[in-house]
Amino acid sequence: MMAYMLKRSVFMLFLAASAACSQAPAEPQTVAEFPDMNVDRIMGDIRKLSSDEFEGRLPGTKGEQLTVEHLVAQFKQAGLEPGNPNGSWTQKVSLVGLTPQPTGLVVKKGGTSREFKPHAEVVGFSKHVAPAARIENSELVFAGYGVQAPEFNWNDFGPLDIRGKTLIVLVNDPPVTKPDGTLDDKTFGGKAMTYYGRWTYKYEKAAELGAAGIFIVHEAEPAGYAFNVVQGMGAERFDLVTPDKNMGRSAIEGWLSVEAATELLKMAGQDYQKLKALAATPDFKAIPLGMTATMGVTQKMRTIESDNVIAKLTGSDPALKNEYVVYTAHWDHLGVRTTGDGDRINNGALDNASGTALVLEMARAFKSLRTPPKRTMLFLMVTAEEQGLLGSQYYAEFPLYPLEKTLAVINIDGVNQWGRTSDLTVVGLGASELDDYARTAATEQQRTLTPDPEAEKGFYYRSDHFNFAKKGVPAFYPDTGVHFVGKSAEYSQQKRDEYTKNDYHGPTDEVKPDWDLTGAADDGKLLMAMGYRIANAAKYPEWRAGNEFRAIREKALGR
Ligand SMILES: [Zn+2]
């Protein structure tokens, strides 16, 4: 009887102690030993952040103020430390809204000239934070796909000096084929898009080479969107206010309709289809067109002050605590619609109140560990993702902690709200050794990894982790799995399609009565184990050979 009582009281003591420490042993080994994610608390945060009171969390509004206050309050309550080394919980991010009014594009060859009409034939804008920007009699160059990819021994520019010139480039990756005519998936990604295929890359490369202007030829199929989508880029766009006011960018960036490009190249005595075929071969080198371009943009400007929110958990190893693992989630969404009947508030419950709430819960779980990981964990909630990944870009340009000491970033943009899955989707699976951490943790949960089912859409380049990848930091981007436990094989695609059709970026992205976050909790635990193990690992995770960010990382680490 005594023995039983003793045993029982020891057991009760153990229960009390483990409850206080969220059942986590001092150093959790298996995924199961990590603290459980509290589904009710996650749901509470999602409800709060996506409530009408928060007005759709547009940067620079009352919705931002309420969001930042809530996040900081939660981090404080969880016992985390302010993440900014200056002692604050935020990093200020200045944004500028630019509304361009472009002229036409005047192309001259000898005595003849032709004006391409703004909006209908050519879309032009400028990142320069200035009331006007201009290209004037700038030499035109056809530069293929506008790609320099050392890992594929690919250089569309050849020895030509690009400074002051205006580039015409093609959209997407060079579609390199094998001798049998099929796509070569060893050069660029085959069907999957690499960063070289994104329009943002092409503008950045043009700026790096000192081009005065750049126009991408729009073709609906390889672009993945119609010309009216790029015409929409002529509306107000937000951008960062960098110290150089973006003067390092080409004065004018834009798009040409394929019809306009065909005509422009014909003026130069060139055939569009022939040039396009040539540009898909490794021997292609930029071709001066013997013509000049003139175009101007005037811009309306307004500035907005916004905030990234950041918390940290200092590492437990004195020798490693100045190295970092980062979790990111964007807190912002689209605000309130200016037109339409009924509910106009874009609540952004899934996008991305949910990811923000899960990162908050993971931060609490990390803090509940008796011994923090050896390296320092950062929990970064970024602003203005919906305006073009701007908050994360700001952090990556002006990091609060050195990126060469940042081992990895794990980004959450939307969590699984439809129940448990036997897998986790990894957007960009195969990119880095972070997959190995994910696979190990998934296996411990008796789960598997699934590659992104729509790799041709380039989703890896469309959320906040990507700004870290561009600077070389290995970046992991999970998504909801596709195999729902106890559901049909079609269930996943059906739910995804419903969301895309009905709720994506609309006022009905709200918490639904049937939401079930048990799957998100599994994912959170997996991602927590990943971050913890990376933070305790003997070596830095690396990009795989052939990945477009590997060379950047190697250089940053001085290898
Ligand atoms: Zn999002």
Side-chain angles (χ1 to χ4, degrees), residues 330 351-352 385-386 413:
H330 73 88
D351 187 11
N352 185 31
E385 190 269 357
E386 305 286 10
D413 194 350

Side-chain angles (χ1 to χ4, degrees), residues 330 332-333 350-352 385-386 413-414 462-464 477 504-505:
H330 73 88
D332 71 299
H333 197 56
L350 182 67
D351 187 11
N352 185 31
E385 190 269 357
E386 305 286 10
D413 194 350
R462 291 163 66 172
S463 191
D464 295 298
Y477 184 30
Y504 175 71
H505 284 189

Side-chain angles (χ1 to χ4, degrees), residues 121-385:
E121 296 181 298
V122 58
V123 176
F125 37 84
S126 181
K127 278 175 105 78
H128 289 189
V129 182
R134 195 169 174 78
I135 50 174
E136 185 90 46
N137 292 320
S138 165
E139 279 178 57
L140 276 161
V141 172
F142 176 73
Y145 285 84
V147 169
Q148 278 179 334
E151 66 277 30
F152 303 126
N153 208 1
W154 193 281
N155 182 1
D156 282 332
F157 302 95
L160 196 67
D161 183 359
I162 300 302
R163 272 172 294 179
K165 299 193 169 71
T166 291
L167 305 175
I168 309 290
V169 300
L170 302 170
V171 73
N172 215 319
D173 290 311
V176 182
T177 50
K178 292 186 283 197
D180 68 0
T182 60
L183 269 186
D184 176 6
D185 53 12
K186 296 279 183 300
T187 314
F188 303 100
K191 191 167 90 70
M193 191 190 275
T194 71
Y195 186 50
Y196 302 114
R198 293 280 294 160
W199 51 273
T200 49
Y201 166 82
K202 296 171 196 284
Y203 295 155
E204 285 157 11
K205 181 50 72 176
E208 188 192 314
L209 298 174
I214 171 167
F215 296 95
I216 303 173
V217 180
H218 175 268
E219 282 196 82
E221 202 207 331
Y225 34 80
F227 194 60
N228 65 15
V229 173
V230 304
Q231 285 174 321
M233 293 180 187
E236 182 179 43
R237 292 148 42 91
F238 283 88
D239 217 320
L240 293 180
V241 184
T242 56
D244 78 341
K245 298 201 175 340
N246 299 327
M247 290 305 176
R249 297 286 293 217
S250 303
I252 294 183
E253 301 172 350
W255 295 81
L256 277 170
S257 72
V258 64
E259 295 81 11
T262 304
E263 207 184 314
L264 181 149
L265 291 166
K266 206 169 154 191
M267 274 179 75
Q270 299 280 357
D271 179 77
Y272 176 66
Q273 293 301 337
K274 275 190 194 148
L275 283 186
K276 200 170 130 179
L278 195 61
T281 63
D283 301 330
F284 174 83
K285 297 284 172 279
I287 300 170
L289 295 175
M291 307 194 295
T292 64
T294 297
M295 185 172 182
V297 171
T298 55
Q299 316 198 85
K300 270 191 286 190
M301 298 192 284
R302 65 181 175 123
T303 52
I304 282 172
E305 299 303 320
S306 190
D307 288 292
N308 290 333
V309 179
I310 183 165
K312 80 174 169 183
L313 176 65
T314 299
S316 57
D317 184 330
L320 294 176
K321 69 177 185 187
N322 293 324
E323 300 179 3
Y324 309 89
V325 174
V326 190
Y327 289 95
T328 52
H330 73 88
W331 62 253
D332 71 299
H333 197 56
L334 296 163
V336 183
R337 285 186 172 179
T338 52
T339 57
D341 295 330
D343 182 8
R344 289 185 187 171
I345 300 173
N346 295 300
N347 303 84
L350 182 67
D351 187 11
N352 185 31
S354 69
T356 309
L358 186 58
V359 172
L360 271 182
E361 182 63 12
M362 289 166 67
R364 295 180 189 114
F366 269 102
K367 179 63 190 172
S368 78
L369 297 172
R370 254 180 288 172
T371 310
K374 292 179 182 170
R375 295 185 176 88
T376 293
M377 309 302 298
L378 300 172
F379 304 95
L380 174 63
M381 314 294 207
V382 293
T383 181
E385 190 269 357

Side-chain angles (χ1 to χ4, degrees), residues 394-424:
Y394 191 85
Y395 185 92
E397 301 279 346
F398 307 101
L400 296 172
Y401 304 93
L403 295 181
E404 66 275 13
K405 299 278 181 200
T406 303
L407 279 78
V409 60
I410 297 172
N411 178 52
I412 306 179
D413 194 350
V415 307
N416 170 9
Q417 76 278 31
W418 303 311
R420 290 207 144 98
T421 59
S422 63
D423 65 334
L424 178 75

